[in-house]
C-alpha cells in the first residue's frame, strides 16, 4: 500500500500504521483533523461494511463519518459508549 499505509504482523496480531497520505488522515465531517495520540483506534475487519453499518445504526450507535472508500477498501469510524473511536473496515476484493 505504499508509503501511505502499512500492516506489521506477528502471529495473530496485526498493527496498522497510517501515514499522512492515508485515508485515515482525512478530516471528518465536523472538521476535526487527526492529531498524534488522539486518533488511535481499534480496527475490526468485517465482510460487508454497508450491512454492518445499517445494523449498528438501527441499534442506535453513532458514527463520526460516512463510509470512506480508499485503495485498500472501505472504512467508517464508530464511537463507542465512552467516545472512543473504533474503525470498521472491509478490505478491497
Amino acid at each position: 500500500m505504499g508509503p501511505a499505509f502499512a500492516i506489521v504482523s506477528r502471529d495473530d496480531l496485526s498493527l496498522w500504521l497510517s501515514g499522512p497520505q492515508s485515508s485515515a488522515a482525512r478530516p471528518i465531517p465536523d472538521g476535526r483533523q487527526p492529531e498524534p495520540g488522539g486518533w488511535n483506534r481499534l480496527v475490526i475487519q468485517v465482510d460487508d461494511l454497508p450491512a454492518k453499518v445499517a445494523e449498528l445504526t438501527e441499534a442506535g450507535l453513532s458514527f463520526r463519518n460516512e463510509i470512506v472508500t480508499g485503495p485498500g477498501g472501505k472504512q467508517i469510524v464508530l464511537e463507542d459508549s465512552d467516545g472512543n473511536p473504533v474503525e470498521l473496515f472491509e478490505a478491497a476484493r
Side-chain angles (χ1 to χ4, degrees):
M1 296 182 204
F5 184 83
I7 299 174
V8 180
S9 298
R10 181 173 181 175
D11 300 324
D12 291 336
L13 176 67
S14 295
L15 176 63
W16 296 31
L17 306 167
S18 299
Q21 300 87 11
S22 73
S23 58
R26 296 178 189 160
I28 58 175
D30 68 6
R32 285 185 286 170
Q33 296 275 349
E35 57 188 59
W39 284 44
N40 297 328
R41 60 188 180 249
L42 174 71
V43 176
I44 299 173
Q45 193 162 350
V46 299
D47 293 325
D48 184 347
L49 185 59
K52 183 56 70 178
V53 169
E55 175 187 334
L56 295 172
T57 299
E58 188 174 314
L61 280 78
S62 299
F63 294 89
R64 289 188 174 183
N65 61 325
E66 299 295 323
I67 293 174
V68 174
T69 301
K74 300 174 194 168
Q75 67 191 53
I76 192 167
V77 178
L78 164 76
E79 281 202 6
D80 74 7
S81 59
D82 292 321
N84 298 306
V86 177
E87 180 178 320
L88 303 179
F89 174 76
E90 178 185 340
R93 302 202 191 291

